[in-house]
Amino acid sequence: MSSHQISPEHRYPPEAPESAVATETVATEQQQGDGGGVMALLERIGSVVVPITVALYAVLYIGVEQMYAVFGVNPQQVGVDQSVLLGRLTSTLVLLLLVALPLLGVIAGLAWLIDRMTGGAANRLFQGIRKRPWIAATVAALWCGATYWGIFRIFGTLDLFVMVVVAVGLGVLAFLIPFRLMRRKPVGRAGAKVIVGGLTGVGLGFLLILSLVEGAVDVQETGQASELLNAVGFQDQWTVLKSAEDDKPLYDGRWMMLLGESDGTYVLYDCDKLETFRRPMETTNLSQIQLDPERRQGFTCGDLAQQDSGN
C-alpha cells in the first residue's frame, strides 16, 4: 500500500500577498478614522467624567458641612442629609446635564472635523503620543500633582510659582513611576484613568469647599446668598416669626433667615445681631416667607450687634 505524501504548498492555506494585506489595513484605518476615533474619544471622556463626578459629589458634603459651620451648626441640625442634599441638587444636575450633552457633542464634532481636515494626521499624532508610555505617564502625573492645589489652598494662599513646583515635585515623586508601570496592561491603564479622574474630582471639590465657605461668610455679612450657594441647595429663605399663642410678631417683627428645621426645632439666623438661634416649632409661626429677597445697595448685617457693642 503506497503512502500519499502531502506537498508543503498544500499543507497550509496560501498566504495572502503583501499588497492585499496592505489594502485591508488601509481600509480598516479608514473605517476607524471615519467614526472609530470619535467613538473612542467619547468613551475616554465618559471613563474620566464618571470618577470625577463621583469624587466631586463625595467631597461636596464636606463643603456643605463647612458652609453651615460658618453659622455654628451642622447639616444634620438644619435637616440636611445626603438624601436631602441630592434632592436639592436635582435642578442643578438637570441643568448640568443639559449643558454637558451639547458640549460633548461639540467636542466630538470638532475632533472629527480637525481629524478630517488634517487627513487623519491629528488622530495619528494623538495615538502616537498615547502609545508612548513615558509621555502619557508624565502628563497624568503632572495633572495629579496639580489637583492638590485646592487642598493646599485650605492651609494658605499659594502663588503660581510655588504651585508649579508642588505639582511637578509631587507628580514626579509620587505618580510618575506607578503610572508608567500601570501603562503596561489594559487593566492598569483603566485604573490610571480612574485615579486621575478621582483626584481631579477631589481637587475640584476642595476648590468648591473654599468657594462655599466664602459664600457663607458673604451671607453672614450681607444677608444675600450667591448663585453658587443656591446651586448646591442652600435656601436663602427669610421669614417673620410670630408667637403660636397670640400670633404676635417676635423679635420686633424683624426678618430672620430660616436655615432649616430638625427634631421639631427651627434653626434661624438673626442678620441684625449676627446670631444663630433655635426656636421650638410648636411655639413659633412663620409668616411673610420670602426667597432671595432683594437688598438695597450696600446693605450689611450687624446693625444691632454694633449698637450693643457700642453701648
Side-chain angles (χ1 to χ4, degrees), residues 282-311:
E282 59 184 9
T283 62
T284 308
N285 291 335
L286 306 181
S287 65
Q288 305 180 36
I289 299 176
Q290 291 186 4
L291 283 174
D292 303 326
E294 295 184 1
R295 303 289 185 180
R296 67 178 185 272
Q297 188 70 23
F299 174 83
T300 57
C301 294
D303 293 338
L304 294 181
Q306 292 178 359
Q307 294 178 11
D308 294 341
S309 62
N311 295 332

Side-chain angles (χ1 to χ4, degrees), residues 108-124:
L110 288 176
W112 177 84
L113 181 61
I114 293 174
D115 188 58
R116 297 289 291 181
M117 291 177 62
T118 58
N123 187 35
R124 289 192 295 270

Side-chain angles (χ1 to χ4, degrees), residues 1 4 13 16 23 27 35 42 45 63 99 104 109 111 127 146 150 159 184 217 224 246 251 266 268 275 286-287 297:
M1 183 176 180
H4 180 71
T23 303
L42 291 176
I45 292 176
V99 174
L104 290 177
Q127 293 297 335
D159 56 20
R184 294 180 176 180
V217 172
Q224 219 167 8
D246 51 14
Y251 307 102
Y266 290 123
L268 303 118
E275 295 177 352
L286 306 181
S287 65
Q297 188 70 23

Side-chain angles (χ1 to χ4, degrees), residues 60-184:
L60 175 61
Y61 196 74
I62 301 176
V64 173
E65 290 180 338
Q66 297 299 319
M67 177 180 66
Y68 281 107
V70 173
F71 298 95
V73 294
N74 57 50
Q76 290 78 19
Q77 291 174 327
V78 297
V80 177
D81 54 14
Q82 291 283 358
S83 59
V84 174
L85 178 62
L86 183 59
R88 293 185 180 182
L89 285 174
T90 301
S91 59
T92 303
L93 294 176
V94 171
L95 181 61
L96 290 176
L97 181 63
L98 293 176
V99 174
L101 287 178
L103 181 61
L104 290 177
V106 170
I107 294 175
L110 288 176
W112 177 84
L113 181 61
I114 293 174
D115 188 58
R116 297 289 291 181
M117 291 177 62
T118 58
N123 187 35
R124 289 192 295 270
L125 177 63
F126 175 77
Q127 293 297 335
I129 295 175
R130 182 171 172 266
K131 290 179 181 178
R132 287 173 171 80
W134 279 111
I135 297 179
T138 301
V139 173
L142 294 179
W143 179 261
C144 288
T147 59
Y148 278 79
W149 179 62
I151 301 175
F152 289 123
R153 276 287 307 274
I154 295 179
F155 302 102
T157 303
L158 300 179
D159 56 20
L160 182 60
F161 176 76
V162 175
M163 188 60 241
V164 171
V165 173
V166 171
V168 173
L170 185 61
V172 171
L173 294 176
F175 298 107
L176 179 59
I177 301 302
F179 282 161
R180 171 61 185 89
L181 297 176
M182 295 174 71
R183 295 291 300 177
R184 294 180 176 180

Side-chain angles (χ1 to χ4, degrees), residues 45-58:
I45 292 176
S47 63
V48 175
V49 169
V50 171
I52 290 176
T53 305
V54 173
L56 183 58
Y57 178 75

